[in-house]
C-alpha cells in the first residue's frame, strides 16, 4: 500500500511541477525572488516604531448620520488620488539618455509627509516617477520601498498642503456594503475616474498572471480598469478600505480585487521604517491538496499542501522535509491548503522554530523547522 502511494505521489509531483511552470499556479517560497503580481497580502505582526499611517476609525464608532453621499465621499478622497507615470531610460544618438514613458497607475497620499501607497507592479522597474495630483501639481516621486509578494509599494513626494485620506477598518466590511473605486483609469486626462459598486465577497485568493498568491482580498463589482491599480477602494465614510490591484475577466464584465487595508497597513509601516519587508520562509514549492486531487491520485489525506520541491540548504531541507510530503499542520494550526500554509509561515519571524507535521507514505511525521529569512534576490 505504501509503495503504491509512493509511486503515485512521485508521478503526481512531476505532473504538478509541470503545471507549476506552465500555469504559474503555485506560490514559491524557495527564495529566488519569484515575482508576485498584480494583487494581496498577509497580516503581519511587527515591532516597529510608531508610523505615519493613521490609526483606523472603525465603523462602530460612527453614527449612521456620518455615512456620506457618493458626491461627498468623492469630494473628500479624490484630491488625494494621484496619477503615477513611470519612466525608463533609453539611449538615443551618441548614447544620450532619453527618458521614455513606461507605464501609468494610481496611488493615494496617506500623510502630510507625502507618503503614497500604490502597487508594486505600478512602479516595478521604474527609473523615474512623475506624480500628478488632481489639482495639476506635479512632483518627482521617490520609491521608499516595494514588496512584490504583497504587490504593495510606498512612494514619497515633497510638497506642501498635500491632501490626505483616512484609512478605515476593512475587517468591519460587510458583503453588500457600497464602495467607491477611484483611480486614473486608462490614463485618461482630466483627473481620476470614479466608479461605484458593492462588496461582492471577502477573503478572496487569486493567482495573478506573473505568479504568486494574493489572499484576503476584497472582491467588488465597482469597475476597475487598467490605470486604476494602486488607487483606493473607499467606504461611504470616505475611508480607504482597500488598494485596487487586479482585474479578472468574466462574462458580462470584469471582477475587481483590492488588497484589504488591514493587510496593507503593517506592510506599509514596515516599508516606511525599513524600506523592505522581511519574510520568513521554509524553502519549498507547494500546491494545495483538494478532495478532487486526493481522489484522483489516491492520496491518504484530502486537505493539506503537497511539497513539490525543496531548495538546497534551506530550512526545510535541513529539517528533513522531502518532495511528496503533504503538510497537514504547523504547530497546532491545521493546514487546509496553500494559502493556509503561507499565512502560517508568514506570521512567524525568521529564526523562530515551528513544528511541521507531514503525511509521508501514509504515516504522520513531525519535524522542527527553524525558519530563515526569505532571500530577496
Amino acid at each position: 500500500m505504501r509503495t503504491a502511494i509512493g509511486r503515485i505521489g512521485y508521478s503526481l509531483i512531476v505532473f504538478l511541477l509541470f503545471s507549476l511552470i506552465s500555469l504559474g499556479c503555485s506560490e514559491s517560497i524557495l527564495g529566488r525572488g519569484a515575482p508576485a503580481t498584480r494583487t494581496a497580502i498577509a497580516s503581519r505582526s511587527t515591532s516597529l516604531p510608531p508610523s505615519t499611517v493613521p490609526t483606523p476609525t472603525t465603523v462602530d464608532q460612527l453614527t449612521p448620520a456620518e455615512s456620506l453621499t457618493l458626491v461627498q465621499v468623492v469630494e473628500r478622497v479624490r484630491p488625494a488620488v494621484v496619477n503615477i507615470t513611470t519612466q525608463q531610460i533609453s539611449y538615443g544618438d551618441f548614447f544620450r539618455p532619453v527618458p521614455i514613458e513606461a507605464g501609468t497607475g494610481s496611488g493615494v497620499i496617506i500623510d502630510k509627509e507625502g507618503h503614497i501607497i500604490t502597487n508594486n507592479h505600478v512602479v516595478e522597474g521604474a527609473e523615474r516617477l512623475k506624480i500628478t495630483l488632481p489639482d495639476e501639481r506635479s512632483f518627482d516621486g521617490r520609491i521608499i520601498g516595494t514588496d512584490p509578494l504583497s504587490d504593495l509599494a510606498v512612494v514619497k513626494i515633497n510638497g506642501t498642503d498635500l491632501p490626505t485620506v483616512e484609512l478605515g477598518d476593512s475587517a468591519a466590511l460587510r458583503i453588500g456594503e457600497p464602495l467607491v473605486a477611484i483611480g486614473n483609469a486608462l490614463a485618461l486626462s482630466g483627473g481620476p475616474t470614479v466608479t461605484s459598486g458593492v462588496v461582492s465577497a471577502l477573503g478572496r485568493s487569486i493567482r495573478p498572471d506573473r505568479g504568486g498568491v494574493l489572499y484576503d482580498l476584497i472582491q467588488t463589482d465597482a469597475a476597475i480598469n487598467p490605470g486604476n491599480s494602486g488607487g483606493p477602494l473607499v467606504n461611504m465614510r470616505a475611508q480607504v478600505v482597500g488598494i485596487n490591484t487586479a482585474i479578472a475577466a468574466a462574462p458580462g464584465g470584469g471582477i475587481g480585487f483590492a488588497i484589504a487595508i488591514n493587510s496593507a497597513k503593517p506592510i506599509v509601516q514596515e516599508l516606511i521604517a525599513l524600506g523592505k519587508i522581511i519574510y520568513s520562509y521554509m524553502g519549498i514549492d507547494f500546491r494545495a491538496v483538494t478532495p478532487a486531487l486526493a481522489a484522483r491520485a489516491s492520496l491518504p489525506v484530502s486537505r493539506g499542501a503537497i511539497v513539490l520541491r525543496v531548495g538546497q540548504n534551506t530550512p526545510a531541507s535541513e529539517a528533513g522535509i522531502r518532495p511528496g510530503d503533504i503538510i497537514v499542520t504547523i504547530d497546532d494550526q491545521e493546514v487546509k491548503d496553500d494559502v493556509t500554509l503561507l499565512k502560517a509561515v508568514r506570521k512567524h519571524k525568521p529564526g523562530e522554530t515551528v513544528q511541521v507535521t507531514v503525511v509521508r507514505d501514509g504515516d504522520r511525521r513531525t519535524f522542527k523547522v527553524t525558519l530563515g529569512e526569505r532571500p530577496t534576490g
Side-chain angles (χ1 to χ4, degrees):
M1 176 63 178
R2 292 182 187 173
T3 302
I5 292 173
R7 289 198 301 268
I8 295 172
Y10 283 112
S11 299
L12 175 65
I13 293 168
V14 172
F15 169 75
L16 289 176
L17 276 171
F18 278 108
S19 299
L20 169 66
I21 294 170
S22 61
L23 300 178
C25 291
S26 177
E27 164 76 328
S28 170
I29 57 171
L30 280 169
R32 292 188 299 275
T37 83
R38 287 187 212 159
T39 131
I41 163 178
S43 277
R44 294 171 54 79
S45 163
T46 57
S47 54
L48 295 172
S51 87
T52 56
V53 180
T55 301
T57 301
T58 65
V59 172
D60 291 340
Q61 293 173 307
L62 301 174
T63 67
E66 289 177 287
S67 182
L68 306 173
T69 67
L70 177 58
V71 171
Q72 290 172 323
V73 169
V74 173
E75 287 176 342
R76 291 194 183 189
V77 178
R78 189 175 182 272
V81 179
V82 304
N83 179 45
I84 301 176
T85 302
T86 61
Q87 294 181 335
Q88 294 178 343
I89 303 300
S90 182
Y91 292 90
D93 296 337
F94 305 105
F95 299 100
R96 289 179 299 182
V98 179
I100 58 172
E101 185 172 316
T104 185
S106 303
V108 61
I109 306 172
I110 60 173
D111 59 32
K112 291 297 183 181
E113 286 71 38
H115 290 108
I116 297 168
I117 303 177
T118 187
N119 286 140
N120 174 75
H121 76 262
V122 169
V123 300
E124 188 174 29
E127 297 181 23
R128 293 183 181 177
L129 297 177
K130 179 182 177 183
I131 312 297
T132 305
L133 277 61
D135 63 12
E136 299 186 352
R137 285 187 290 169
S138 184
F139 302 88
D140 289 328
R142 176 168 60 93
I143 296 176
I144 298 299
T146 62
D147 179 35
L149 291 184
S150 67
D151 197 27
L152 287 168
V154 175
V155 173
K156 190 176 187 301
I157 57 175
N158 295 321
T160 58
D161 299 322
L162 296 174
T164 63
V165 295
E166 179 184 357
L167 303 187
D169 180 10
S170 54
L173 289 173
R174 294 178 296 174
I175 295 175
E177 181 177 338
L179 295 172
V180 180
I182 307 177
N184 295 278
L186 306 178
L188 297 172
S189 60
T193 296
V194 176
T195 58
S196 62
V198 299
V199 178
S200 302
L202 297 167
R204 291 297 200 204
S205 301
I206 64 173
R207 293 173 174 82
D209 295 340
R210 294 190 292 175
V213 178
L214 295 170
Y215 49 85
D216 289 342
L217 302 180
I218 302 165
Q219 179 185 327
T220 181
D221 65 345
I224 297 176
N225 298 290
N228 275 99
S229 290
L233 190 66
V234 185
N235 64 17
M236 298 310 292
R237 275 73 166 171
Q239 298 168 327
V240 175
V241 292
I243 301 298
N244 300 321
T245 192
I247 311 161
I255 297 172
F257 296 95
I259 302 166
I261 202 64
N262 285 15
S263 294
K265 281 183 285 192
I267 299 295
V268 170
Q269 289 176 357
E270 195 165 341
L271 289 175
I272 291 174
L274 304 177
K276 64 177 182 177
I277 302 299
I278 298 174
Y279 283 107
S280 60
Y281 89 125
M282 288 198 296
I284 60 175
D285 281 332
F286 53 91
R287 185 89 180 270
V289 172
T290 64
L293 180 62
R296 288 199 303 270
S298 300
L299 298 179
V301 293
S302 60
R303 292 288 184 186
I306 187 167
V307 177
L308 303 178
R309 184 168 49 182
V310 179
Q312 293 183 351
N313 302 317
T314 61
S317 66
E318 292 174 0
I321 293 176
R322 302 175 185 172
D325 288 346
I326 301 174
I327 299 175
V328 291
T329 67
I330 288 188
D331 292 331
D332 296 326
Q333 180 180 351
E334 181 184 3
V335 173
K336 297 180 180 179
D337 51 29
D338 51 347
V339 172
T340 308
L341 178 55
L342 278 175
K343 289 182 178 181
V345 171
R346 290 183 184 175
K347 75 178 183 180
H348 290 280
K349 297 178 181 179
E352 293 183 353
T353 299
V354 296
Q355 292 194 72
V356 179
T357 299
V358 308
V359 175
R360 179 185 295 174
D361 293 335
D363 295 330
R364 287 181 177 248
R365 306 185 185 190
T366 299
F367 301 90
K368 290 185 177 181
V369 181
T370 300
L371 301 174
E373 180 177 334
R374 188 184 191 278
T376 56

